[in-house]
Amino acid sequence: MSADDAREDAARADDAPADEAHAVAAGADDARVEQARADGAPAENARADRTRRPGLPAPLRRLGGRLATAARRGRALPATLAVATVAATALSGWLCVEVYEQRAQTQRHQDILAAARQSALNFTSLDYRHYDRDSKNVLKGATGDFEE
């Protein structure tokens, strides 16, 4: 058995009493809610109504339970910071890619505009004395039907 396995077994053993206490407390809360409903009093402030929402999927309920257990043990802050760090890193990476793509697109537009200006200049500055040279310059920038 490795040291990691031993640590995991010890952690599971530590979790068991806390989980049992949580289950007993939840059972007591359920009893209070049922009693409040039987008496006709609103049970809006009961713990069970806040934690057991019918629309939440089971994985989210389990995550909430794990976060509550981590908060009781003082591990919520490091876990929250780790999640925030990962989220901030992912967000900054995504933003960097977006900025890169935006700059690349701007550069492409500027290149296209410069080529169009040069073609227009070549076409409008034909000189009858240097027609062969000027017409080759025009045809270098020509495409499609105009090139034909």
Side-chain angles (χ1 to χ4, degrees), residues 3-109:
D4 290 333
D5 293 336
R7 273 188 239 126
E8 287 178 17
D9 290 340
R12 280 192 213 111
D14 289 344
D15 287 345
D19 291 340
E20 289 172 9
H22 181 68
V24 169
D29 285 341
D30 289 342
R32 279 189 226 122
V33 169
E34 291 302 321
Q35 184 62 37
R37 286 185 182 150
D39 294 340
E44 296 161 356
N45 295 330
R47 183 175 179 272
D49 283 349
R50 288 185 308 225
T51 58
R52 294 189 182 179
R53 295 186 183 127
L56 288 177
L60 287 179
R61 286 195 305 267
R62 283 194 302 269
L63 178 63
R66 288 180 188 151
L67 288 175
T69 303
R72 283 193 300 274
R73 294 186 179 171
R75 294 185 298 197
L77 182 62
T80 303
L81 290 176
V83 169
T85 301
V86 169
T89 303
L91 180 63
S92 65
W94 177 73
L95 288 174
C96 286
V97 168
E98 290 294 317
V99 168
Y100 175 79
E101 289 176 354
Q102 183 181 12
R103 288 185 179 174
Q105 183 179 12
T106 302
Q107 185 62 44
R108 280 192 304 270
H109 285 252

Side-chain angles (χ1 to χ4, degrees), residues 110-125 134 137-142:
Q110 289 175 352
D111 291 344
I112 291 169
L113 186 59
R117 283 183 179 153
Q118 186 61 45
S119 292
L121 182 66
N122 289 342
F123 186 69
T124 57
S125 63
D134 291 345
N137 285 338
V138 169
L139 290 176
K140 267 197 286 187

